[in-house]
Amino acid sequence: MGEVHVMDHPLIEHKISYIRRKDVGTKEFREVVGEIAQLMCYEATRDLEMREVEIETPVAHTVGRELDGKKLAIVPILRAGIGMVDGMLALIPAAKVGHIGLYRDPETLEPVEYYCKLPADCEERRVFVVDPMLATGGSSTAAIRMLKEKGVKNIRFLCIIAAPEGVKRMREEHPDVDLYIGALDERLNDHGYIVPGLGDAGDRIFGTK
Ligand code: PRP
Ligand code: URA
């Protein structure tokens, strides 16, 4: 059974409060989303497998530890998820990056798939799916379904803001997936927006509205 981790780090909380403000512009919004992604990556990699290695320092022989286990991949859900990729790569630069393109139909709120390109060996990797917003959960559950259909078994999902409705749906459809949530908000409004949220993450990252 996967776990649900709601971040409690002061820097993450501070930065999320900052980008919620409606008068924060595109440049700053994008930069701070990257910083939050980097901090969340740190939290979401705490328990990666390690192995012992023998090391010759300039002074002595010692035994250290380095990463072991599955190689890593990052899969942003287009388009807003792209805003989290560089922050993740800053900490795990050897990770491969796949892309899943989904947009939410504004009427039905159902996800519509338009792109999928994944690392050839993605089923052998631990995959971090990233999207700033988990609202109804339609997009993220669909993206994870697509990954599972390709044989990926080891999946973590990172979002900056989640609604309880989306968390519930993720837990029901993908109970094996670990969730890393920057902030858990109150609810969805009638248009499927997270309240209080931060508005449309994609538009705010790319300046399209
Ligand atoms: C946003 C967001 C998520 C999705 C969340 O994307 O980035 O992918 O909505 O909503 P859900 O949980 O109800 O599916 P959007 O569809 O606006 O596309 P965009 O990233 O291209 O702006
Ligand atoms: N997608 C967003 O970008 N924001 C929301 O509040 C909900 C879905």
Side-chain angles (χ1 to χ4, degrees):
M1 185 75 175
E3 294 178 353
V4 180
H5 303 263
V6 180
M7 303 292 104
D8 64 354
H9 196 292
L11 290 178
I12 296 177
E13 203 174 330
H14 177 89
K15 288 173 192 290
I16 292 177
S17 297
Y18 187 77
I19 58 169
R20 285 184 191 276
R21 293 179 166 83
K22 64 180 180 189
D23 54 356
V24 169
T26 303
K27 174 177 179 289
E28 260 189 309
F29 189 90
R30 190 190 297 136
E31 283 169 1
V32 180
V33 163
E35 291 167 13
I36 294 166
Q38 189 167 339
L39 291 164
M40 289 187 62
C41 180
Y42 181 80
E43 297 288 352
T45 49
R46 269 184 184 282
D47 60 344
L48 292 186
E49 297 90 345
M50 305 290 286
R51 64 167 171 247
E52 292 197 339
V53 279
E54 309 232 350
I55 298 167
E56 295 296 332
T57 81
V59 179
H61 181 89
T62 188
V63 176
R65 298 203 316 147
E66 63 182 22
L67 288 175
D68 193 16
K70 286 181 185 295
K71 292 190 176 153
L72 307 177
I74 304 162
V75 175
I77 302 177
L78 307 182
R79 103 202 117 127
I82 291 174
M84 297 176 70
V85 173
D86 284 351
M88 301 281 297
L89 283 173
L91 295 192
I92 47 173
K96 295 214 170 151
V97 182
H99 295 86
I100 291 180
L102 292 171
Y103 71 86
R104 201 170 70 148
D105 184 293
E107 302 298 326
T108 64
L109 302 183
E110 284 303 313
V112 182
E113 179 189 336
Y114 60 89
Y115 190 76
C116 182
K117 185 82 180 171
L118 300 170
D121 59 352
C122 69
E123 72 283 356
E124 288 158 26
R125 291 176 178 261
R126 181 190 290 280
V127 175
F128 295 90
V129 179
V130 296
D131 189 326
M133 309 304 273
L134 172 60
T136 65
S139 306
S140 46
T141 52
I144 290 169
R145 213 177 305 129
M146 288 162 71
L147 287 169
K148 287 183 173 175
E149 280 164 10
K150 305 263 182 203
V152 181
K153 291 184 188 62
N154 221 305
I155 302 173
R156 295 185 166 181
F157 177 75
L158 280 71
C159 64
I160 294 179
I161 297 191
E165 294 89 335
V167 175
K168 181 168 179 286
R169 183 160 171 187
M170 280 283 267
R171 297 300 284 161
E172 284 168 0
E173 290 190 30
H174 300 296
D176 55 305
V177 171
D178 293 315
L179 305 183
Y180 293 84
I181 298 168
L184 183 58
D185 274 12
E186 287 164 26
R187 62 184 170 87
L188 295 177
N189 69 15
D190 294 342
H191 305 287
Y193 274 83
I194 301 175
V195 181
L198 48 69
D200 188 306
D203 282 340
R204 295 199 65 188
I205 290 169
F206 296 108
T208 40
K209 228 175 223 168

